[in-house]
Amino acid sequence: MSKSGVSVNPECISTYNELKLGKSIKYIIYRLSDDYKEIVVEHSSTENDWEDFQEKLLNAKASHKGKEGKGPRYAVYDFQYELEGGEGTRNKIVFISWSPDEGTLVFPRMTYASSKEALKNALPGLAAEVQANRDDEIEYETILKDVSKGRR
């Protein structure tokens, strides 16, 4: 359980294990339940389509007390990239915390921030973490730079 009292739904872990071990799922998007008490799976996909993934994050919504704004999200992406100089291909499981700077309601933003560690701790084997607050921070090339820094 997180500092905010939010718990992690078991489906979050089982879906992550499918991504990590089964390699059939390429990405998972997590959200907080409508009552802000539990982290749940919002969407998972077997398609390696960064644009579709990015669009889902950019269009996410959150509401609180009758108001709606941009929605923070957590995501895990099985990121594959080529090493420079033809040294081969690498895969890294990347944890992305998406919390737009503009247009996000305060309560959802704070609850996501204080609940992130609970989800991360439930997902062993994450190779990289990205905190994104602006649209350009979830561009493929931006993530690639962050992920490929520590060549493993």
Side-chain angles (χ1 to χ4, degrees):
M1 188 164 299
S2 70
K3 295 176 194 172
S4 63
V6 171
S7 64
V8 177
N9 184 291
E11 182 189 8
C12 295
I13 299 163
S14 62
T15 306
Y16 172 75
N17 285 335
E18 285 180 49
L19 178 143
K20 183 179 171 190
L21 305 173
K23 294 292 185 184
S24 60
I25 294 175
K26 289 306 288 180
Y27 69 84
I28 308 163
I29 298 175
Y30 302 96
R31 69 175 188 86
L32 288 173
S33 58
D34 292 340
D35 62 3
Y36 289 90
K37 296 202 182 296
E38 186 175 46
I39 300 169
V40 297
V41 172
E42 179 176 58
H43 182 79
S44 65
S45 178
T46 58
E47 299 298 316
N48 190 14
D49 185 343
W50 185 265
E51 289 77 25
D52 182 56
F53 168 74
Q54 182 181 19
E55 183 179 320
K56 287 185 182 338
L57 291 180
L58 291 172
N59 293 322
K61 301 286 183 206
S63 59
H64 181 65
K65 294 188 176 180
K67 294 182 182 178
E68 185 175 85
K70 289 184 177 180
R73 293 293 187 270
Y74 311 113
V76 173
Y77 200 99
D78 187 1
F79 200 87
Q80 183 175 344
Y81 62 98
E82 297 293 324
L83 293 174
E84 292 180 20
E87 296 179 35
T89 302
R90 294 288 186 270
N91 280 68
K92 286 191 179 178
I93 299 175
V94 181
F95 182 87
I96 300 170
S97 180
W98 167 242
S99 187
D101 279 338
E102 297 190 19
T104 305
L105 301 172
V106 173
F107 182 80
R109 188 178 175 102
M110 293 296 119
T111 307
Y112 271 83
S114 61
S115 304
K116 177 174 76 170
E117 290 302 316
L119 180 59
K120 281 179 45 186
N121 291 339
L123 308 176
L126 297 168
E129 179 181 351
V130 174
Q131 172 66 49
N133 301 99
R134 296 186 325 264
D135 295 4
D136 65 322
E137 292 176 329
I138 55 170
E139 294 288 339
Y140 180 85
E141 292 301 322
T142 305
I143 302 291
L144 177 61
K145 284 179 196 169
D146 287 343
V147 170
S148 62
K149 278 181 193 170
R151 294 172 31 178
R152 296 182 203 185

